Amino acid sequence: MVQPVFDAAVLSGRTDIPSQFIWPEGESPTPDATEEMHVPLIDIGGMLSGDPRAAAEVTRLVGEACERHGFFQVVNHGIDAQLLADAHRCVDAFFTMPLPEKQRALRRPGESCGYASSFTGRFASKLPWKETLSFRSCPSDPALVVDYIVATLGEDHRRLGEVYARYCSEMSRLSLEIMEVLGESLGVGRAHYRRFFEGNESIMRLNYYPPCQRPLETLGTGPHCDPTSLTILHQDDVGGLQVHTDGRWRSIRPRADAFVVNIGDTFMALSNGRYKSCLHRAVVNSRVPRKSLAFFLCPEMDKVVAPPGTLVDAANPRAYPDFTWRSLLDFTQKHYRADMKTLEVFSSWVVQQQPASART
Ligand SMILES: C=C1C[C@]23C[C@H]1CC[C@H]2[C@]1(C)CCC[C@@](C)(C(=O)O)[C@H]1[C@@H]3C(=O)O
Ligand SMILES: O=C(O)CCC(=O)C(=O)O
Ligand SMILES: [Fe+2]
């Protein structure tokens, strides 16, 4: 079958959508209004200011949310409002360029970075109604983001590269602060996960969801659990993020002053299954484009992902085998489309790869 081209300017001229974008009944969004999910709001600035009562309350709220569904929001995070506004403005600037310009950064098969207009060359069905631009970011290599943007899009886009370099560096800082809270709430101390992620090799993703003439037949991002460790998301004021809890989809209402944070599969493994990586998706609408900025915190590629010994005992045996982020990333890019079962399927695959004598 000929793959459709996902060019919003072309697709907006039709009344229907190509069949590859149609999601089966049961997976497509429901027409009735979706209930709102009440996600705890964490005052991270207050927590770090040294008031022990405020810190204990934040730790308790985070622990409770992570054991239930893995979603919470942070406010008072110290991210400059101007930087956030610039980051959203640059999303508009990039995605409103003509398709051939964006394709200068084309994401190639098997790679996790670059520009993808939907995933037309990658998947044959259940295509997402979105465009994305993803790039790597590491605190140990501050020039990485600007170099990538300039090398793919050209000198004219240096300013965009600088905005995202600053944004990623702030996201890495915020992630490490959140890691302190997660460590504290799991009883392993503030330093444990902060140290583990100090040299993170993360992925920044800009999501752009053009308006869709048939929003109830498709999805912007299909149901999935993030394979990464921690996601810090900022959505614009349009709304569309939904989380599956207690058997139904609920939406997270956008808040300009808050980041939505969620636990990913790799952190679920690092907590020996205590903290949950939860199913979520993004719906689209027929009126306006929607944007979101997703920072996916990931460990160094070859670092062994294993929970601290204090989270493993006879009552809580190892839930997942040792693995590296490189192998899980590779698995999602080459063998398996990330969904709600990624960690389970990947773990079985890892165990199968081991010699029989090493399996427990
Ligand atoms: C490592 C990654 C793979 C995906 C991007 C990051 C973290 C989330 C993954 C993803 C969003 C999960 C849903 C399916 C996916 C294909 C998507 O719709 O974007 C996933 C990403 C990807 O493989 O590109
Ligand atoms: O755009 C959103 O609100 C969610 C996107 C998402 O879940 C992802 O990129 O992993
Ligand atoms: Fe996600």
Side-chain angles (χ1 to χ4, degrees):
M1 194 189 269
V2 179
Q3 282 296 340
V5 176
F6 187 72
D7 185 346
V10 174
L11 290 176
S12 64
R14 340 179 4 165
T15 52
D16 63 347
I17 59 174
S19 61
Q20 291 89 339
F21 290 91
I22 300 182
W23 286 64
E25 240 184 77
E27 285 186 68
S28 50
T30 37
D32 28 285
T34 315
E35 211 181 301
E36 199 179 315
M37 175 171 171
H38 295 286
V39 191
L41 261 193
I42 308 296
D43 176 350
I44 192 111
M47 147 102 194
L48 298 163
S49 67
D51 172 359
R53 294 242 306 258
E57 181 58 2
V58 165
T59 308
R60 190 186 65 77
L61 282 172
V62 167
E64 203 176 88
C66 292
E67 286 188 350
R68 281 185 58 203
H69 46 59
F71 272 81
F72 56 94
Q73 303 183 82
V74 291
V75 287
N76 199 3
H77 38 66
I79 308 296
D80 179 35
Q82 188 56 52
L83 175 61
L84 196 50
D86 285 348
H88 276 283
R89 207 182 26 75
C90 287
V91 174
D92 280 321
F94 176 76
F95 289 102
T96 53
M97 292 198 303
L99 189 60
E101 291 280 310
K102 295 182 273 194
Q103 283 176 330
R104 287 160 75 181
L106 197 64
R107 182 173 167 184
R108 312 223 169 260
E111 286 177 4
S112 53
C113 292
Y115 166 73
S117 61
S118 184
F119 293 125
T120 52
R122 184 172 168 206
F123 305 129
S125 63
K126 298 204 274 184
L127 292 178
W129 194 269
K130 71 170 167 192
E131 297 172 63
T132 56
L133 178 67
S134 317
F135 39 87
R136 286 163 19 94
S137 135
C138 314
S140 63
D141 188 354
L144 192 63
V145 174
V146 176
D147 287 354
Y148 174 78
I149 295 294
V150 171
T152 53
L153 298 175
E155 243 338 295
D156 292 353
H157 297 271
R158 178 173 290 278
R159 162 98 185 105
L160 178 141
E162 285 166 356
V163 167
Y164 291 120
R166 270 189 63 211
Y167 187 84
C168 290
S169 142
E170 283 294 274
M171 287 295 116
S172 176
R173 178 200 48 84
L174 181 59
S175 309
L176 298 182
E177 289 175 3
I178 296 170
M179 281 301 150
E180 292 192 10
V181 182
L182 294 176
E184 191 77 10
S185 65
L186 282 163
V188 302
R190 281 187 176 202
H192 181 82
Y193 294 114
R194 171 183 256 282
R195 276 206 205 110
F196 186 83
F197 284 103
E198 230 137 41
N200 62 84
E201 295 191 33
S202 298
I203 301 174
M204 178 71 210
R205 169 174 283 206
L206 318 180
N207 290 312
Y208 188 79
Y209 304 94
C212 175
Q213 55 274 45
R214 300 282 184 93
L216 296 177
E217 291 176 13
T218 192
L219 284 169
T221 297
H224 67 283
C225 297
D226 293 338
T228 40
S229 299
L230 189 81
T231 306
I232 306 187
L233 185 96
H234 196 269
Q235 42 174 348
D236 68 7
D237 58 358
V238 176
L241 174 62
Q242 299 185 344
V243 182
H244 199 258
T245 50
D246 307 322
R248 51 179 179 274
W249 289 103
R250 290 170 219 259
S251 55
I252 299 193
R253 186 203 290 246
R255 273 186 71 126
D257 63 342
F259 286 90
V260 178
V261 178
N262 69 278
I263 300 291
D265 291 342
T266 302
F267 196 86
M268 184 162 167
L270 283 169
S271 71
N272 200 26
R274 278 245 325 251
Y275 283 2
K276 304 293 180 290
S277 168
C278 181
L279 197 63
H280 57 285
R281 68 182 186 184
V283 300
V284 291
N285 73 81
S286 58
R287 298 163 289 112
V288 279
R290 171 172 181 262
K291 305 183 288 270
S292 69
L293 303 161
F295 178 81
F296 297 108
L297 180 76
C298 310
E300 276 147 292
M301 285 283 192
D302 295 311
K303 212 170 166 104
V304 175
V305 172
T310 47
L311 297 182
V312 183
D313 57 29
N316 303 285
R318 282 291 295 272
Y320 308 100
D322 286 1
F323 62 89
T324 61
W325 167 238
R326 187 188 297 282
S327 61
L328 176 53
L329 178 62
D330 223 55
F331 188 74
T332 64
Q333 301 306 304
K334 298 190 181 144
H335 313 292
Y336 191 82
R337 181 175 185 171
D339 64 8
M340 66 182 293
K341 292 206 171 73
T342 310
L343 185 56
E344 239 172 84
V345 178
F346 172 71
S347 295
S348 312
W349 178 80
V350 170
V351 172
Q352 285 307 309
Q353 304 293 302
Q354 294 168 348
S357 57
R359 293 181 210 156
T360 46

